[in-house]
Amino acid sequence: MSTAAQRTASSNPALQVAKPTSSLLFWLWGPMLLVMSIDPLIRLFAGKLPFTASFNSWGGWLVLPLVGAALTLAYRRRELRLDARQLTIASTLYTRRVPLSSMRLDRARIVNFAENPDFKPGMKSNGFQFPGFRAGHFHMKDGGKGFCLITDDSRVLVIPLRDGNSLLISPQQPRALLDELKRLADGSRRA
C-alpha cells in the first residue's frame, strides 16, 4: 500500500492520540529519583562519603537514568494509522495491526471510565502502565483481553473484536475516528 493511501495523524485529526497530562512522567521519574537518592543519603547521614569508587556505589546513578530515558522515549511513542483495510496502533514497545473486518463497529462505544468502570482494563498481562496511561495487553473485567492505548480515561473508544477481545484507544476525537472506521468498513463491504 502506498504511503499516500495511508492516513496518519498529520493528515487526519481523527487519528491524533489524546494528549496525556504532563505530570504522568512524574510517576516514572519520581520513584526512580527517590530510589537513587536513598543509599547516598543513608551513607551521608552515617558520616560516610555518599559515593565510593566501586560500581555498587555509583552504578545506579548511571544505569537508572538510562533506563528512565529509554522508558520516557517509549512512553512518547503513540500513534494511530489507518488505511483502507486496517487500523494500526503503535504505543511504547507495542504495535497492533487490526483488520477492519475483525472489528464489531456496531458495538463500539465511547466511554468515560469514571461513569462506566466496567470497561476499565484490569490486570496488565504485557504492557506499560502508570496512572492515567496504559499501553499494551490487559485483561478485561469481562474475562476477555484488551489491547490498550489509553491516555485519557474520560474519552476511550472501546471496539469489540470478533474474537472476543477488545481495542481501547484514546483518540483526540473518538467520534470522528469511529465514524471514519465505519465509513471505511462500509466501503470495503461494498467493494
Side-chain angles (χ1 to χ4, degrees):
M1 170 129 330
S2 71
T3 56
Q6 283 191 338
R7 293 181 182 93
T8 61
S10 60
S11 63
N12 188 344
L15 294 173
Q16 292 178 353
V17 178
K19 300 274 189 250
T21 60
S22 60
S23 65
L24 287 179
L25 285 178
F26 167 78
W27 294 103
L28 172 66
W29 285 97
M32 195 173 304
L33 292 173
L34 180 65
V35 167
M36 288 172 51
S37 64
I38 288 173
D39 185 53
L41 286 174
I42 290 172
R43 294 175 63 77
L44 191 63
F45 286 124
K48 300 177 184 176
L49 291 175
F51 299 103
T52 62
S54 71
F55 183 76
N56 290 344
S57 177
W58 56 267
W61 282 85
L62 176 66
V63 174
L64 282 177
L66 291 175
V67 169
L71 291 174
T72 300
L73 288 174
Y75 162 77
R76 294 180 57 126
R77 181 178 177 252
R78 296 181 298 272
E79 181 181 27
L80 299 172
R81 291 187 305 270
L82 181 61
D83 62 36
R85 291 183 225 161
Q86 72 182 7
L87 173 66
T88 303
I89 305 160
S91 180
T92 62
L93 307 173
Y94 308 95
T95 300
R96 175 93 188 258
R97 291 171 185 82
V98 183
L100 296 178
S101 61
S102 70
M103 297 179 189
R104 302 186 73 175
L105 295 172
D106 56 325
R107 295 188 178 182
R109 60 189 298 182
I110 299 161
V111 300
N112 179 341
F113 289 154
E115 298 169 0
N116 300 299
D118 292 340
F119 289 97
K120 194 172 186 177
M123 263 183 38
K124 171 178 58 173
S125 60
N126 182 9
F128 192 89
Q129 173 182 8
F130 41 82
F133 181 78
R134 292 173 197 83
H137 303 272
F138 290 77
H139 295 283
M140 302 303 293
K141 292 182 179 176
D142 66 0
K145 295 178 183 174
F147 184 81
C148 300
L149 168 52
I150 301 172
T151 57
D152 183 350
D153 288 353
S154 68
R155 55 177 164 200
V156 179
L157 177 57
V158 179
I159 304 172
L161 302 177
R162 297 197 187 283
D163 64 3
N165 296 329
S166 300
L167 292 177
L168 291 90
I169 51 180
S170 293
Q172 187 71 31
Q173 300 174 1
R175 175 60 54 198
L177 177 57
L178 181 56
D179 292 344
E180 182 73 7
L181 289 168
K182 286 180 178 179
R183 186 187 67 76
L184 288 171
D186 287 344
S188 66
R189 278 187 220 127
R190 290 184 195 137

